Amino acid sequence: LVKLDGVERHYQMGTSTVRALDGVDLEIRRGDHWAIMGRSGSGKSTMLNLLGCLDRPTGGEYYLGGTPVSTLDDDALSEIRGERIGFVFQSFNLIPQLTVLENLEVPLFYQGGAPAVARKRAEELAARVGLDDRLDHRPPELSGGQQQRVAIARSLINDPLIVLADEATGNLDSNTEMEILELLDDLAKEGKTIILVTHAEEVAERARKILILVDGKVDRIIENSDH
Amino acid sequence: LVKLDGVERHYQMGTSTVRALDGVDLEIRRGDHWAIMGRSGSGKSTMLNLLGCLDRPTGGEYYLGGTPVSTLDDDALSEIRGERIGFVFQSFNLIPQLTVLENLEVPLFYQGGAPAVARKRAEELAARVGLDDRLDHRPPELSGGQQQRVAIARSLINDPLIVLADEATGNLDSNTEMEILELLDDLAKEGKTIILVTHAEEVAERARKILILVDGKVDRIIENSDH
Ligand SMILES: Nc1ncnc2c1ncn2[C@@H]1O[C@H](COP(=O)(O)OP(=O)(O)OP(=O)(O)O)[C@@H](O)[C@H]1O
Ligand SMILES: Nc1ncnc2c1ncn2[C@@H]1O[C@H](COP(=O)(O)OP(=O)(O)OP(=O)(O)O)[C@@H](O)[C@H]1O
Ligand SMILES: [Mg+2]
Ligand SMILES: [Mg+2]
């Protein structure tokens, strides 16, 4: 489903170069459940942004379903993101002027959904992440963990094939985190491809494969044998 | 040092009232090291904002060093915050247009610090949180955990009496988190008062007292006996 071939993502900072990703080879199959771990600054969010078509490599090639992403223009990438990929950002990226319900419906309107259908789906997902009593609140009126759960629900609203989540439970107490992890496990059982960046052992141990990033390179891949 | 007496923080949402804090009694002594835990939405950030004089109760009274905060005007509160309190926000609140170094220096300029002294102190704290190679980066050019560490360093720049940190290690791998926790332990040994909101066991177990919030009320206080 996804292939990274010698992928690099460099930033030019004056005379020095930051090598956020520095030559990554990786294959991810349909229905896989991965955790990506590594030190702060090791390149995890950079890798997830590339996988989610939010960014392009500065070197190497990224294949999505066999197609090299470098041959796709920005409109095509935007369409793939809207229909196939659900993304939970490390900093949530909610729209502060819209309510929880409106934040959830926005991606459905972009896909041409009927308002009544969109509203119903938004209410169902809000309930699934425990926010049915916060539908009229706006992001500044929510706790950090509530905002994070809106971001999670929003990533699922278009029923994506691939769910990419960047530290999706860092602001949640262990009980709430467990509910979210069980939700993600259910999605994995439905056949979705799940890729979670995480610092937390309890999140990584539920994945089938764990990728360890060190200084922008794949250091090793651990197979979780109890799956 | 700090006393909460029947403290309430209510929000009026149309016809319903959100009781973020719903009657909190608490005494915190100088040099204490507390962890505040509780479900997502239970009122932890609300409590920390009140303790940090960033917000005022809607009911009850908050005493800081014996003075009821309700008798202090906004300028007086602002001065206390600037000189005595270091605050790490759950969402960092860095200034995106300024570099790491400039973000760290800003609070020192408000306190009338000389530029050369301010720059030296900013460099020292950046090094202490492992960011001495990111001084010229701006927040959008940093990883999540790097931004969090800038926020931590900034909270310490004025050598505050009280350090209030809201989920200060949620975006850090366990090694980097350990460095930050050791830094906070050092500050506790220096006699600073440390109050950490956290979801993480490994953070809470280093505190001397753990407060558990449930639905805006103190449910129980646990004394960590191995201190
Ligand atoms: N401006 C506001 N208007 C209305 N309700 C609010 C507002 N700010 C916070 N709340 C509500 O107050 C409650 C407590 O919020 P708070 O941010 O203190 O929670 P928290 O314990 O820090 O949660 P988390 O662990 O998710 O960060 C939440 O249910 C939240 O929805
Ligand atoms: N726009 C940019 N310009 C320059 N350097 C950048 C930029 N964005 C990221 N970086 C650098 O690239 C490196 C990797 O960043 P990335 O956000 O992928 O780390 P991460 O593994 O997600 O870290 P964390 O666990 O702290 O979130 C970091 O050292 C960061 O400073
Ligand atoms: Mg990151
Ligand atoms: Mg909070």
Side-chain angles (χ1 to χ4, degrees):
Chain A
L1 182 63
V2 159
K3 183 172 169 188
L4 300 180
D5 187 7
V7 159
E8 297 174 348
R9 181 61 171 101
H10 293 172
Y11 296 99
Q12 203 57 39
M13 302 289 289
T15 53
S16 63
T17 305
V18 174
R19 295 181 167 78
L21 286 187
D22 199 20
V24 171
D25 301 319
L26 185 63
E27 279 189 40
I28 294 176
R29 295 194 178 69
R30 193 177 296 275
D32 267 359
H33 185 164
W34 286 76
I36 300 175
M37 302 186 88
R39 262 189 103 88
S40 172
S42 57
K44 306 179 297 298
S45 296
T46 303
M47 179 182 266
L48 212 69
N49 289 341
L50 287 173
L51 290 173
C53 301
L54 290 157
D55 190 18
R56 293 175 187 273
T58 49
E61 187 61 77
Y62 168 39
Y63 298 88
L64 190 58
T67 310
V69 159
S70 57
T71 63
L72 300 171
D73 64 19
D74 287 353
D75 286 342
L77 280 193
S78 184
E79 191 171 330
I80 288 172
R81 279 201 309 272
E83 291 179 12
R84 303 284 165 76
I85 297 172
F87 205 104
V88 184
F89 293 88
Q90 192 167 6
S91 54
F92 316 156
N93 292 3
L94 302 178
I95 303 171
Q97 298 84 357
L98 300 184
T99 64
V100 167
L101 211 52
E102 291 164 345
N103 263 284
L104 294 179
E105 292 169 330
V106 160
L108 286 170
F109 294 150
Y110 274 111
Q111 299 298 319
V117 175
R119 175 129 305 197
K120 186 159 189 308
R121 178 140 177 90
E123 287 170 344
E124 285 172 359
L125 270 165
R128 251 186 120 177
V129 297
L131 290 176
D132 36 356
D133 61 347
R134 288 284 178 275
L135 298 177
D136 303 326
H137 284 231
R138 293 178 171 75
E141 298 166 332
L142 296 174
S143 77
Q146 290 167 344
Q147 292 178 32
Q148 189 161 46
R149 282 180 274 156
V150 178
I152 292 165
R154 185 182 62 177
S155 75
L156 303 176
I157 205 91
N158 274 323
D159 199 28
L161 280 182
I162 306 171
V163 180
L164 304 171
D166 201 344
E167 314 265 10
T169 59
N171 282 289
L172 301 176
D173 58 279
S174 33
N175 288 326
T176 311
E177 177 181 52
M178 188 55 59
E179 293 165 16
I180 296 299
L181 293 180
E182 286 169 355
L183 166 59
L184 291 169
D185 282 355
D186 290 347
L187 298 174
K189 291 200 193 84
E190 286 174 27
K192 293 189 192 311
T193 307
I194 310 282
I195 303 171
L196 309 176
V197 165
T198 184
H199 288 305
E201 291 286 341
E202 72 269 17
V203 177
E205 66 190 15
R206 297 170 80 109
R208 208 173 301 141
K209 291 186 182 152
I210 303 175
L211 185 155
I212 311 287
L213 268 185
V214 173
D215 293 334
K217 295 193 185 72
V218 176
D219 186 71
R220 59 192 190 280
I221 293 173
I222 303 169
E223 300 250 357
N224 245 342
S225 50
D226 45 283
H227 282 263
Chain B
L1 183 63
V2 160
K3 185 173 168 186
L4 300 179
D5 188 6
V7 160
E8 297 173 349
R9 182 61 172 102
H10 293 171
Y11 296 99
Q12 203 58 39
M13 303 287 290
T15 52
S16 64
T17 305
V18 175
R19 295 182 167 77
L21 286 187
D22 197 19
V24 171
D25 300 319
L26 185 63
E27 278 190 40
I28 294 177
R29 294 192 180 69
R30 193 177 297 274
D32 269 359
H33 184 165
W34 285 76
I36 300 174
M37 302 186 86
R39 263 187 102 88
S40 171
S42 58
K44 304 178 297 298
S45 297
T46 304
M47 178 183 265
L48 213 69
N49 289 341
L50 288 173
L51 290 173
C53 300
L54 291 155
D55 190 19
R56 293 176 186 274
T58 49
E61 186 61 77
Y62 169 38
Y63 299 87
L64 190 57
T67 310
V69 158
S70 58
T71 64
L72 300 171
D73 65 20
D74 287 352
D75 285 342
L77 280 192
S78 182
E79 191 171 333
I80 289 173
R81 281 201 307 271
E83 291 179 12
R84 304 284 166 76
I85 297 173
F87 206 104
V88 184
F89 292 88
Q90 193 167 4
S91 54
F92 316 155
N93 291 2
L94 303 178
I95 303 171
Q97 298 85 358
L98 301 184
T99 65
V100 167
L101 211 53
E102 291 164 346
N103 263 284
L104 295 179
E105 292 169 330
V106 160
L108 287 169
F109 294 148
Y110 274 111
Q111 299 298 318
V117 174
R119 174 130 304 197
K120 187 160 186 309
R121 177 141 177 91
E123 286 169 346
E124 286 172 359
L125 269 164
R128 253 188 119 178
V129 298
L131 291 175
D132 36 357
D133 62 347
R134 288 284 179 275
L135 299 177
D136 303 327
H137 284 231
R138 293 178 171 73
E141 297 165 334
L142 295 175
S143 77
Q146 290 166 345
Q147 292 178 31
Q148 190 161 45
R149 283 181 275 156
V150 177
I152 293 164
R154 183 183 63 175
S155 76
L156 304 176
I157 205 89
N158 273 322
D159 198 28
L161 281 182
I162 305 171
V163 180
L164 304 170
D166 202 342
E167 313 267 7
T169 58
N171 282 289
L172 303 175
D173 58 279
S174 32
N175 289 326
T176 311
E177 177 182 53
M178 189 55 58
E179 293 166 17
I180 295 301
L181 293 179
E182 287 170 354
L183 166 58
L184 290 169
D185 282 354
D186 290 347
L187 298 174
K189 291 200 194 84
E190 286 173 27
K192 293 190 191 313
T193 307
I194 310 282
I195 303 170
L196 309 175
V197 167
T198 184
H199 287 306
E201 290 288 340
E202 71 270 15
V203 176
E205 65 190 18
R206 297 169 82 108
R208 209 171 303 138
K209 290 184 181 151
I210 302 175
L211 186 155
I212 310 288
L213 269 184
V214 174
D215 295 334
K217 295 193 185 74
V218 176
D219 185 72
R220 58 191 189 280
I221 292 173
I222 303 167
E223 300 250 357
N224 244 342
S225 50
D226 43 281
H227 283 263

